[in-house]
Amino acid sequence: MKVAVFSTRSYDRQFLELANQAAASAHDLEYFETQLNKKTASLANGFPCVCIFVNDIADETNLKILAEQGTKLIALRCAGYNMIDMQAASQLGLKVVRVPAYSPYAVAEHAVGLILMLNRKLNKAYNRVRDDNFTLDGLLGFDLHESTVGVIGTGKIGTIFAQIMQGFGCHLLGYDVYTNEHFTAIAGAKYVDLPELLAKSDIISLHCPLLPSTHNLINQETIKQMKQGVMLINTSRGQLVDTRAVIDGIKTGKIGYVGLDVYEEEEELFFQDYSDGIIQDETFQLLQSFQNVVITAHQAFFTKDALTAIAQTTIANISSWEQGNELTNEVKIPVAN
Ligand code: NAD
């Protein structure tokens, strides 16, 4: 089947090709580096399947264009489906499949990496030693042992993150709309309500999906309830956080450290090279300017294990639809929460 693959980089191609070659009947994959948007949707003319990633824009307008051009299946190469208007997809008769799980370890481990970098200032230390400066001033950290870590969203990634932090000897608080027995099985981990988690955590890590109920979950009000000097980690979705409120929190010292793998307006920036240009997003530039902020560009998923699993599930999802089999990874409305 012909598949138009948007937002592809060389690594997407490499892993999708491997998975496609191993499939019982290979698909005809055509790769587009560009993001799916109103201007580029016409590239998929005549393709029954369109394959997209986190920052493609699958809103009502673009889905209409795709449906009119003959697309029937949208295959997401990710778990989150906030970039697609599911109501519109359903009304247009488009099936949507996703990759619900692919190495949750990749994301959980990256969140831990951000914590270590922020706490022990590894980014500064690395540059300092390379500059033959062997002083320690300004590099003071704290023991993670006995720190309290709040996990918002205790699903697959949040629970693995909690298991790793338990290994450091942290106290674990979880907040979720559902309880997960794997989280409660972690020694010392307990569920609390959101205000208690915010008030007691030294480190808060976000692992819930972006939904109407979680949009800007971290805002002026919730920041007010946090401990002075709290560390905030977001490897989930940028719009869970009101970035301007976080900047205010950093300026007053309420937030002591920020580690982000996702950013509210990342569609305009991430996965592109602007090293020769000027970034127009002043909020991002301000955020970057703080010494106690570390940003990575949506790379938490980026391990060979995760890319292999994403490619294999994506190809299997497309094959299932082509063969008329049950779509076990179909995204259905109404979506949860
Ligand atoms: P999951 O579905 O296993 O877990 C999500 C958890 O969030 C569930 O337990 C759910 O009940 C909970 N939740 C839902 N609404 C909530 C709310 N209002 N408050 C608190 N908790 C709520 O998903 P997962 O595989 O653990 O992934 C979590 C998120 O990580 C994804 O939604 C995605 O946004 C993000 N992610 C990021 C990357 C990356 O590269 N940075 C990669 C994969 C996933």
Side-chain angles (χ1 to χ4, degrees), residues 79-80 82 98 100-102 104 107 152-159 175-178 180 206-211 213-214 217 235-237 240 261-262 298-302 337:
N82 52 285
R98 66 178 181 132
Y102 55 86
V107 184
I152 299 184
T154 56
K156 292 179 285 296
I157 296 171
T159 295
Y175 169 71
D176 200 310
V177 286
Y178 298 107
N180 178 349
L206 307 180
H207 299 287
C208 57
L210 176 62
L211 298 167
S213 59
T214 59
L217 182 76
T235 56
S236 201
R237 283 292 179 267
L240 294 176
D261 185 53
V262 286
H298 209 134
Q299 73 167 85
F301 73 100
F302 199 57
N337 308 114

Side-chain angles (χ1 to χ4, degrees), residues 138-178:
L139 301 183
L140 193 66
F142 61 90
D143 283 6
L144 290 175
H145 181 78
E146 298 286 0
S147 296
T148 299
V149 177
V151 186
I152 299 184
T154 56
K156 292 179 285 296
I157 296 171
T159 295
I160 289 164
F161 167 78
Q163 287 166 348
I164 300 171
M165 297 315 291
Q166 198 269 338
F168 281 102
C170 299
H171 303 287
L172 287 156
L173 301 178
Y175 169 71
D176 200 310
V177 286
Y178 298 107

